[in-house]
C-alpha cells in the first residue's frame, strides 16, 4: 500500500489539514518568520491546529 492511501479518521484528517495550513501560511508570511513580530492569521491557524490535536487526544 502506498503512503497516504490508507483510510484516515476525520480527526486525523483535521489534524493533518490544520498542520498543512499552518506550514503553508508560515512559509510565506514575513511577520511569522520575524522574531518579535506578530501575525493574527498565524495565531488563528495555530490555535485551530492545537484544537484539532486536543480533540484527537494528542
Amino acid at each position: 500500500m502506498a503512503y497516504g492511501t490508507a483510510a484516515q479518521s476525520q480527526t486525523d484528517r483535521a489534524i493533518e489539514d490544520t498542520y498543512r495550513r499552518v506550514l503553508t501560511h508560515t512559509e510565506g508570511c514575513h511577520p511569522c518568520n520575524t522574531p518579535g513580530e506578530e501575525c493574527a492569521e498565524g495565531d488563528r491557524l495555530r490555535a485551530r491546529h492545537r484544537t484539532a490535536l486536543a480533540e484527537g487526544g494528542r
Side-chain angles (χ1 to χ4, degrees):
M1 181 179 294
Y3 177 77
T5 59
Q8 283 185 308
S9 71
Q10 285 184 324
T11 301
D12 288 343
R13 182 62 186 213
I15 292 169
E16 184 178 310
D17 288 347
T18 57
Y19 183 67
R20 187 176 299 117
R21 286 183 187 119
V22 169
L23 288 179
T24 301
H25 173 80
T26 302
E27 287 175 352
C29 178
H30 178 72
C32 284
N33 291 301
T34 304
E37 289 195 30
E38 296 181 16
C39 174
E41 179 69 8
D43 291 344
R44 184 184 65 78
L45 291 170
R46 286 186 287 279
R48 185 176 287 169
H49 180 62
R50 284 191 299 274
T51 299
L53 287 172
E55 289 174 355
R58 295 186 179 157

